mmCIF file of all heavy atoms in Angstrom:
data_model
loop_
_atom_site.group_PDB
_atom_site.id
_atom_site.type_symbol
_atom_site.label_atom_id
_atom_site.label_comp_id
_atom_site.label_asym_id
_atom_site.label_seq_id
_atom_site.Cartn_x
_atom_site.Cartn_y
_atom_site.Cartn_z
ATOM 1 N N GLU A 21 -4.397 2.990 4.302
ATOM 2 C CA GLU A 21 -3.065 3.182 3.749
ATOM 3 C C GLU A 21 -2.411 4.403 4.380
ATOM 4 O O GLU A 21 -3.097 5.348 4.777
ATOM 5 C CB GLU A 21 -3.109 3.380 2.225
ATOM 6 C CG GLU A 21 -3.763 2.253 1.450
ATOM 7 C CD GLU A 21 -5.231 2.507 1.183
ATOM 8 O OE1 GLU A 21 -5.841 3.326 1.895
ATOM 9 O OE2 GLU A 21 -5.773 1.883 0.245
ATOM 10 N N SER A 22 -1.092 4.395 4.422
ATOM 11 C CA SER A 22 -0.346 5.538 4.916
ATOM 12 C C SER A 22 1.043 5.531 4.297
ATOM 13 O O SER A 22 1.465 4.543 3.706
ATOM 14 C CB SER A 22 -0.254 5.526 6.445
ATOM 15 O OG SER A 22 0.444 4.384 6.904
ATOM 16 N N GLY A 23 1.750 6.645 4.444
ATOM 17 C CA GLY A 23 3.131 6.727 4.009
ATOM 18 C C GLY A 23 3.372 7.510 2.740
ATOM 19 O O GLY A 23 4.527 7.711 2.350
ATOM 20 N N GLY A 24 2.319 7.959 2.085
ATOM 21 C CA GLY A 24 2.491 8.730 0.875
ATOM 22 C C GLY A 24 3.057 10.110 1.157
ATOM 23 O O GLY A 24 3.143 10.551 2.298
ATOM 24 N N GLY A 25 3.448 10.780 0.090
ATOM 25 C CA GLY A 25 3.998 12.111 0.228
ATOM 26 C C GLY A 25 4.627 12.593 -1.056
ATOM 27 O O GLY A 25 4.463 11.982 -2.113
ATOM 28 N N LEU A 26 5.348 13.693 -0.955
ATOM 29 C CA LEU A 26 6.043 14.297 -2.082
ATOM 30 C C LEU A 26 7.510 13.905 -2.033
ATOM 31 O O LEU A 26 8.169 14.057 -0.998
ATOM 32 C CB LEU A 26 5.900 15.817 -2.037
ATOM 33 C CG LEU A 26 6.674 16.622 -3.078
ATOM 34 C CD1 LEU A 26 6.180 16.304 -4.477
ATOM 35 C CD2 LEU A 26 6.548 18.106 -2.780
ATOM 36 N N VAL A 27 8.017 13.408 -3.143
ATOM 37 C CA VAL A 27 9.406 12.981 -3.209
ATOM 38 C C VAL A 27 9.975 13.344 -4.578
ATOM 39 O O VAL A 27 9.250 13.367 -5.576
ATOM 40 C CB VAL A 27 9.526 11.462 -2.943
ATOM 41 C CG1 VAL A 27 8.814 10.665 -4.025
ATOM 42 C CG2 VAL A 27 10.977 11.042 -2.812
ATOM 43 N N GLN A 28 11.257 13.640 -4.621
ATOM 44 C CA GLN A 28 11.912 13.954 -5.883
ATOM 45 C C GLN A 28 12.193 12.688 -6.680
ATOM 46 O O GLN A 28 12.313 11.599 -6.109
ATOM 47 C CB GLN A 28 13.219 14.699 -5.633
ATOM 48 C CG GLN A 28 13.037 16.080 -5.040
ATOM 49 C CD GLN A 28 14.343 16.841 -4.923
ATOM 50 O OE1 GLN A 28 15.422 16.275 -5.066
ATOM 51 N NE2 GLN A 28 14.250 18.134 -4.668
ATOM 52 N N PRO A 29 12.280 12.792 -7.997
ATOM 53 C CA PRO A 29 12.659 11.626 -8.791
ATOM 54 C C PRO A 29 13.953 11.005 -8.281
ATOM 55 O O PRO A 29 14.908 11.707 -7.948
ATOM 56 C CB PRO A 29 12.828 12.197 -10.198
ATOM 57 C CG PRO A 29 11.928 13.387 -10.220
ATOM 58 C CD PRO A 29 12.003 13.972 -8.832
ATOM 59 N N GLY A 30 13.959 9.683 -8.214
ATOM 60 C CA GLY A 30 15.091 8.962 -7.674
ATOM 61 C C GLY A 30 15.003 8.695 -6.191
ATOM 62 O O GLY A 30 15.807 7.923 -5.657
ATOM 63 N N GLY A 31 14.046 9.299 -5.535
ATOM 64 C CA GLY A 31 13.878 9.124 -4.109
ATOM 65 C C GLY A 31 13.103 7.870 -3.760
ATOM 66 O O GLY A 31 12.739 7.077 -4.627
ATOM 67 N N SER A 32 12.834 7.713 -2.471
ATOM 68 C CA SER A 32 12.178 6.520 -1.960
ATOM 69 C C SER A 32 11.050 6.872 -1.010
ATOM 70 O O SER A 32 11.083 7.903 -0.331
ATOM 71 C CB SER A 32 13.175 5.626 -1.219
ATOM 72 O OG SER A 32 14.213 5.178 -2.073
ATOM 73 N N LEU A 33 10.063 6.010 -0.971
ATOM 74 C CA LEU A 33 8.976 6.075 -0.010
ATOM 75 C C LEU A 33 8.583 4.656 0.362
ATOM 76 O O LEU A 33 8.736 3.736 -0.441
ATOM 77 C CB LEU A 33 7.749 6.792 -0.576
ATOM 78 C CG LEU A 33 7.746 8.312 -0.678
ATOM 79 C CD1 LEU A 33 6.486 8.769 -1.405
ATOM 80 C CD2 LEU A 33 7.828 8.954 0.694
ATOM 81 N N THR A 34 8.061 4.497 1.561
ATOM 82 C CA THR A 34 7.504 3.228 1.988
ATOM 83 C C THR A 34 6.046 3.424 2.367
ATOM 84 O O THR A 34 5.730 4.228 3.241
ATOM 85 C CB THR A 34 8.274 2.648 3.183
ATOM 86 O OG1 THR A 34 9.637 2.435 2.825
ATOM 87 C CG2 THR A 34 7.667 1.311 3.594
ATOM 88 N N LEU A 35 5.170 2.710 1.697
ATOM 89 C CA LEU A 35 3.753 2.757 1.984
ATOM 90 C C LEU A 35 3.383 1.603 2.900
ATOM 91 O O LEU A 35 3.959 0.522 2.823
ATOM 92 C CB LEU A 35 2.932 2.659 0.700
ATOM 93 C CG LEU A 35 3.255 3.664 -0.398
ATOM 94 C CD1 LEU A 35 2.298 3.471 -1.566
ATOM 95 C CD2 LEU A 35 3.194 5.092 0.127
ATOM 96 N N SER A 36 2.404 1.853 3.754
ATOM 97 C CA SER A 36 1.913 0.829 4.658
ATOM 98 C C SER A 36 0.412 0.676 4.502
ATOM 99 O O SER A 36 -0.304 1.641 4.233
ATOM 100 C CB SER A 36 2.244 1.180 6.113
ATOM 101 O OG SER A 36 3.635 1.190 6.332
ATOM 102 N N CYS A 37 -0.050 -0.532 4.685
ATOM 103 C CA CYS A 37 -1.467 -0.853 4.676
ATOM 104 C C CYS A 37 -1.773 -1.607 5.954
ATOM 105 O O CYS A 37 -1.163 -2.645 6.227
ATOM 106 C CB CYS A 37 -1.818 -1.696 3.453
ATOM 107 S SG CYS A 37 -3.494 -2.367 3.456
ATOM 108 N N SER A 38 -2.701 -1.091 6.723
ATOM 109 C CA SER A 38 -3.095 -1.722 7.973
ATOM 110 C C SER A 38 -4.532 -2.205 7.870
ATOM 111 O O SER A 38 -5.406 -1.464 7.424
ATOM 112 C CB SER A 38 -2.959 -0.749 9.138
ATOM 113 O OG SER A 38 -1.620 -0.361 9.331
ATOM 114 N N ALA A 39 -4.761 -3.418 8.301
ATOM 115 C CA ALA A 39 -6.090 -4.011 8.277
ATOM 116 C C ALA A 39 -6.548 -4.312 9.692
ATOM 117 O O ALA A 39 -5.753 -4.698 10.547
ATOM 118 C CB ALA A 39 -6.105 -5.288 7.445
ATOM 119 N N SER A 40 -7.818 -4.137 9.919
ATOM 120 C CA SER A 40 -8.391 -4.455 11.218
ATOM 121 C C SER A 40 -9.766 -5.076 11.026
ATOM 122 O O SER A 40 -10.397 -4.927 9.983
ATOM 123 C CB SER A 40 -8.494 -3.204 12.097
ATOM 124 O OG SER A 40 -9.339 -2.232 11.508
ATOM 125 N N GLY A 41 -10.224 -5.775 12.047
ATOM 126 C CA GLY A 41 -11.541 -6.391 12.008
ATOM 127 C C GLY A 41 -11.525 -7.884 11.763
ATOM 128 O O GLY A 41 -12.512 -8.566 12.066
ATOM 129 N N SER A 42 -10.434 -8.386 11.215
ATOM 130 C CA SER A 42 -10.306 -9.803 10.933
ATOM 131 C C SER A 42 -8.852 -10.133 10.661
ATOM 132 O O SER A 42 -8.084 -9.272 10.233
ATOM 133 C CB SER A 42 -11.172 -10.194 9.731
ATOM 134 O OG SER A 42 -11.058 -11.575 9.452
ATOM 135 N N SER A 43 -8.477 -11.357 10.877
ATOM 136 C CA SER A 43 -7.146 -11.820 10.516
ATOM 137 C C SER A 43 -6.978 -11.767 9.003
ATOM 138 O O SER A 43 -7.901 -12.064 8.251
ATOM 139 C CB SER A 43 -6.927 -13.247 11.015
ATOM 140 O OG SER A 43 -5.734 -13.784 10.494
ATOM 141 N N ILE A 44 -5.774 -11.393 8.557
ATOM 142 C CA ILE A 44 -5.498 -11.343 7.127
ATOM 143 C C ILE A 44 -4.786 -12.589 6.638
ATOM 144 O O ILE A 44 -4.419 -12.672 5.466
ATOM 145 C CB ILE A 44 -4.663 -10.101 6.755
ATOM 146 C CG1 ILE A 44 -3.258 -10.183 7.370
ATOM 147 C CG2 ILE A 44 -5.364 -8.822 7.184
ATOM 148 C CD1 ILE A 44 -2.296 -9.148 6.814
ATOM 149 N N ASN A 45 -4.601 -13.557 7.503
ATOM 150 C CA ASN A 45 -3.783 -14.723 7.167
ATOM 151 C C ASN A 45 -4.226 -15.419 5.886
ATOM 152 O O ASN A 45 -3.394 -15.865 5.096
ATOM 153 C CB ASN A 45 -3.799 -15.728 8.317
ATOM 154 C CG ASN A 45 -3.079 -15.241 9.548
ATOM 155 O OD1 ASN A 45 -2.663 -14.085 9.639
ATOM 156 N ND2 ASN A 45 -2.935 -16.135 10.522
ATOM 157 N N GLY A 46 -5.524 -15.528 5.675
ATOM 158 C CA GLY A 46 -6.051 -16.251 4.530
ATOM 159 C C GLY A 46 -6.329 -15.414 3.300
ATOM 160 O O GLY A 46 -6.869 -15.937 2.321
ATOM 161 N N TYR A 47 -5.974 -14.148 3.333
ATOM 162 C CA TYR A 47 -6.251 -13.241 2.229
ATOM 163 C C TYR A 47 -5.032 -13.004 1.357
ATOM 164 O O TYR A 47 -3.900 -12.986 1.845
ATOM 165 C CB TYR A 47 -6.731 -11.885 2.743
ATOM 166 C CG TYR A 47 -8.099 -11.898 3.367
ATOM 167 C CD1 TYR A 47 -8.253 -12.054 4.741
ATOM 168 C CD2 TYR A 47 -9.235 -11.737 2.582
ATOM 169 C CE1 TYR A 47 -9.505 -12.063 5.317
ATOM 170 C CE2 TYR A 47 -10.494 -11.738 3.157
ATOM 171 C CZ TYR A 47 -10.630 -11.901 4.524
ATOM 172 O OH TYR A 47 -11.876 -11.894 5.092
ATOM 173 N N ASP A 48 -5.284 -12.812 0.077
ATOM 174 C CA ASP A 48 -4.279 -12.258 -0.808
ATOM 175 C C ASP A 48 -4.371 -10.737 -0.745
ATOM 176 O O ASP A 48 -5.420 -10.181 -0.437
ATOM 177 C CB ASP A 48 -4.493 -12.729 -2.244
ATOM 178 C CG ASP A 48 -4.295 -14.222 -2.409
ATOM 179 O OD1 ASP A 48 -3.715 -14.860 -1.501
ATOM 180 O OD2 ASP A 48 -4.712 -14.766 -3.448
ATOM 181 N N MET A 49 -3.271 -10.077 -1.058
ATOM 182 C CA MET A 49 -3.225 -8.630 -0.936
ATOM 183 C C MET A 49 -2.558 -8.030 -2.161
ATOM 184 O O MET A 49 -1.656 -8.623 -2.737
ATOM 185 C CB MET A 49 -2.470 -8.214 0.336
ATOM 186 C CG MET A 49 -3.002 -8.860 1.607
ATOM 187 S SD MET A 49 -2.086 -8.413 3.101
ATOM 188 C CE MET A 49 -2.706 -6.743 3.379
ATOM 189 N N ARG A 50 -3.014 -6.838 -2.538
ATOM 190 C CA ARG A 50 -2.484 -6.149 -3.703
ATOM 191 C C ARG A 50 -2.309 -4.664 -3.411
ATOM 192 O O ARG A 50 -3.030 -4.095 -2.609
ATOM 193 C CB ARG A 50 -3.430 -6.264 -4.908
ATOM 194 C CG ARG A 50 -3.692 -7.657 -5.431
ATOM 195 C CD ARG A 50 -4.611 -7.545 -6.628
ATOM 196 N NE ARG A 50 -4.953 -8.823 -7.227
ATOM 197 C CZ ARG A 50 -6.199 -9.257 -7.395
ATOM 198 N NH1 ARG A 50 -7.225 -8.519 -7.006
ATOM 199 N NH2 ARG A 50 -6.411 -10.437 -7.967
ATOM 200 N N TRP A 51 -1.365 -4.076 -4.094
ATOM 201 C CA TRP A 51 -1.270 -2.635 -4.207
ATOM 202 C C TRP A 51 -1.708 -2.228 -5.607
ATOM 203 O O TRP A 51 -1.260 -2.821 -6.591
ATOM 204 C CB TRP A 51 0.151 -2.121 -3.962
ATOM 205 C CG TRP A 51 0.569 -2.101 -2.530
ATOM 206 C CD1 TRP A 51 1.365 -2.992 -1.891
ATOM 207 C CD2 TRP A 51 0.217 -1.108 -1.560
ATOM 208 N NE1 TRP A 51 1.535 -2.633 -0.581
ATOM 209 C CE2 TRP A 51 0.846 -1.476 -0.351
ATOM 210 C CE3 TRP A 51 -0.559 0.056 -1.594
ATOM 211 C CZ2 TRP A 51 0.712 -0.727 0.825
ATOM 212 C CZ3 TRP A 51 -0.692 0.794 -0.432
ATOM 213 C CH2 TRP A 51 -0.063 0.396 0.752
ATOM 214 N N TYR A 52 -2.569 -1.238 -5.685
ATOM 215 C CA TYR A 52 -2.967 -0.602 -6.928
ATOM 216 C C TYR A 52 -2.579 0.870 -6.862
ATOM 217 O O TYR A 52 -2.336 1.419 -5.789
ATOM 218 C CB TYR A 52 -4.475 -0.706 -7.153
ATOM 219 C CG TYR A 52 -4.969 -2.050 -7.623
ATOM 220 C CD1 TYR A 52 -5.120 -3.104 -6.730
ATOM 221 C CD2 TYR A 52 -5.308 -2.262 -8.955
ATOM 222 C CE1 TYR A 52 -5.589 -4.331 -7.157
ATOM 223 C CE2 TYR A 52 -5.783 -3.484 -9.390
ATOM 224 C CZ TYR A 52 -5.922 -4.519 -8.483
ATOM 225 O OH TYR A 52 -6.399 -5.734 -8.908
ATOM 226 N N ARG A 53 -2.549 1.504 -8.018
ATOM 227 C CA ARG A 53 -2.360 2.944 -8.057
ATOM 228 C C ARG A 53 -3.207 3.534 -9.174
ATOM 229 O O ARG A 53 -3.548 2.858 -10.135
ATOM 230 C CB ARG A 53 -0.886 3.325 -8.253
ATOM 231 C CG ARG A 53 -0.308 2.940 -9.603
ATOM 232 C CD ARG A 53 1.191 3.211 -9.634
ATOM 233 N NE ARG A 53 1.788 2.864 -10.905
ATOM 234 C CZ ARG A 53 3.091 2.835 -11.136
ATOM 235 N NH1 ARG A 53 3.945 3.152 -10.159
ATOM 236 N NH2 ARG A 53 3.545 2.508 -12.340
ATOM 237 N N GLN A 54 -3.521 4.792 -9.016
ATOM 238 C CA GLN A 54 -4.333 5.493 -9.999
ATOM 239 C C GLN A 54 -3.729 6.866 -10.251
ATOM 240 O O GLN A 54 -3.717 7.722 -9.368
ATOM 241 C CB GLN A 54 -5.779 5.621 -9.533
ATOM 242 C CG GLN A 54 -6.713 6.184 -10.584
ATOM 243 C CD GLN A 54 -8.175 6.023 -10.198
ATOM 244 O OE1 GLN A 54 -8.504 5.865 -9.026
ATOM 245 N NE2 GLN A 54 -9.049 6.049 -11.181
ATOM 246 N N ALA A 55 -3.215 7.055 -11.447
ATOM 247 C CA ALA A 55 -2.671 8.343 -11.845
ATOM 248 C C ALA A 55 -3.808 9.269 -12.253
ATOM 249 O O ALA A 55 -4.892 8.811 -12.637
ATOM 250 C CB ALA A 55 -1.684 8.168 -12.992
#
């Protein structure tokens, strides 16, 4: 994962997830978070 950072309320960020080692075509994908 990449793209995280510090942002003020109301702001925006874009996170990216890169996979390697196999095609992802047949996979489902999720974002989770942990406070």
Side-chain angles (χ1 to χ4, degrees):
E21 303 94 339
S22 62
L26 175 64
V27 64
Q28 293 185 348
S32 299
L33 283 174
T34 300
L35 306 183
S36 295
C37 171
S38 297
S40 61
S42 180
S43 171
I44 66 168
N45 291 8
Y47 290 94
D48 295 345
M49 306 178 76
R50 298 181 180 123
W51 284 102
Y52 283 78
R53 67 187 180 189
Q54 187 168 22

